[in-house]
């Protein structure tokens, strides 16, 4: 592992201006000097289909898996759609689980965060992501958590930057916790 762990970030929302992308960007900004971060794009992955897999993985799948294979840890930032995991993120995890020769998420440290515009946050979605990752034998950080409810009230509407001090402190604890988690479980 390099001096700063390489964290691969997945944003479960495909919308470029989503609250979860803003949260992911805030986590990345606050992690400067602690992590080296690369985003793995999930929006261009085809729907998982064994027929596509049998023909040979498309470039988007190979690129996605390559980034995951290089990672010391994975950050997943997910919204909650209809009380569950977004389809695009589930699809990405399905592709990630299908390549034991090239890549295995087994034992890879993973942290999960999420933002919502409602009062409940993303607890149900995060629970489902944890269930999937448990089946994939990932090492999942259970605490500290980021379940940022009413996130739109905590950011500047023009820049998208966080303005809420309590959430900023929560993100710092999350980053420090995951940095330690990666150092312990990533080797």
């Amino acid at each position: 592992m390099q001096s700063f762990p390489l964290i691969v970030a997945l944003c479960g929302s495909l919308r470029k201006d989503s609250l979860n992308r803003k949260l992911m960007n805030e986590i990345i900004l606050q992690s400067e000097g602690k992590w080296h971060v690369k985003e793995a794009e999930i929006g261009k992955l085809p729907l998982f289909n064994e027929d596509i897999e049998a023909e040979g993985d498309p470039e988007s799948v190979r690129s996605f898996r390559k980034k995951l294979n290089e990672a010391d840890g994975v950050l997943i930032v997910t919204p909650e759609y209809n009380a569950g995991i977004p389809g695009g993120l589930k699809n990405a995890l399905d592709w990630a689980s299908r390549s034991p020769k090239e890549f295995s998420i087994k034992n890879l440290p993973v942290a999960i965060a999420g933002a919502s515009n409602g009062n409940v946050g993303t607890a149900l979605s995060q629970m489902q992501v944890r269930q999937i990752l448990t089946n994939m034998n990932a090492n999942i950080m259970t605490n500290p958590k980021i379940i940022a409810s009413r996130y739109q009230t905590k950011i500047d509407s023009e820049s998208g930057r966080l303005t809420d001090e309590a959430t900023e402190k929560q993100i710092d604890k999350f980053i420090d916790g995951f940095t330690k988690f990666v150092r312990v479980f990533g080797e």
Side-chain angles (χ1 to χ4, degrees):
M1 188 181 316
Q2 48 195 313
S3 59
F4 298 132
L6 173 58
I7 304 301
V8 172
L10 308 179
C11 185
S13 176
L14 303 181
R15 190 167 60 90
K16 67 179 179 177
D17 200 33
S18 75
L19 291 177
N20 283 277
R21 180 154 303 279
K22 290 175 183 178
L23 174 60
M24 184 180 80
N25 290 340
E26 193 65 39
I27 293 169
I28 291 169
L29 283 169
Q30 286 186 225
S31 72
E32 285 181 12
K34 297 178 183 177
W35 299 348
H36 176 69
V37 181
K38 289 184 182 178
E39 182 178 357
E41 172 63 47
I42 67 169
K44 295 183 179 163
L45 296 172
L47 291 176
F48 178 75
N49 178 328
E50 287 185 25
D51 292 338
I52 294 172
E53 184 181 44
E55 293 173 9
D57 294 332
E59 174 56 33
S60 60
V61 172
R62 287 193 307 272
S63 173
F64 173 69
R65 286 184 179 150
K66 182 177 186 289
K67 284 182 181 172
L68 290 173
N69 194 39
E70 296 169 349
D72 295 313
V74 175
L75 167 67
I76 297 174
V77 182
T78 183
E80 187 168 296
Y81 295 165
N82 297 312
I85 183 175
L89 179 56
K90 174 64 168 82
N91 184 56
L93 294 174
D94 288 343
W95 276 111
S97 74
R98 294 293 293 191
S99 182
K101 291 177 187 167
E102 294 173 39
F103 162 76
S104 175
I105 204 164
K106 182 178 183 178
N107 300 322
L108 191 62
V110 181
I112 306 164
S116 117
N117 61 359
N119 292 325
V120 179
T122 59
L124 295 174
S125 177
Q126 289 191 39
M127 224 170 37
Q128 289 179 359
V129 172
R130 280 183 177 81
Q131 179 183 7
I132 293 163
L133 291 170
T134 297
N135 188 63
M136 295 169 73
N137 293 315
N139 282 322
I140 308 155
M141 182 177 79
T142 56
N143 278 301
K145 291 180 171 75
I146 297 178
I147 301 174
S149 58
R150 303 190 45 75
Y151 195 67
Q152 77 281 7
T153 66
K154 300 173 183 180
I155 59 175
D156 179 79
S157 60
E158 289 183 27
S159 69
R161 290 297 314 274
L162 185 64
T163 58
D164 182 68
E165 191 175 323
T167 304
E168 187 175 300
K169 287 179 183 177
Q170 183 182 18
I171 290 172
D172 280 337
K173 285 174 65 175
F174 180 84
I175 291 166
D176 289 343
F178 193 51
T179 302
K180 291 173 188 168
F181 191 82
V182 167
R183 296 216 185 277
V184 171
F185 291 101
E187 306 210 342

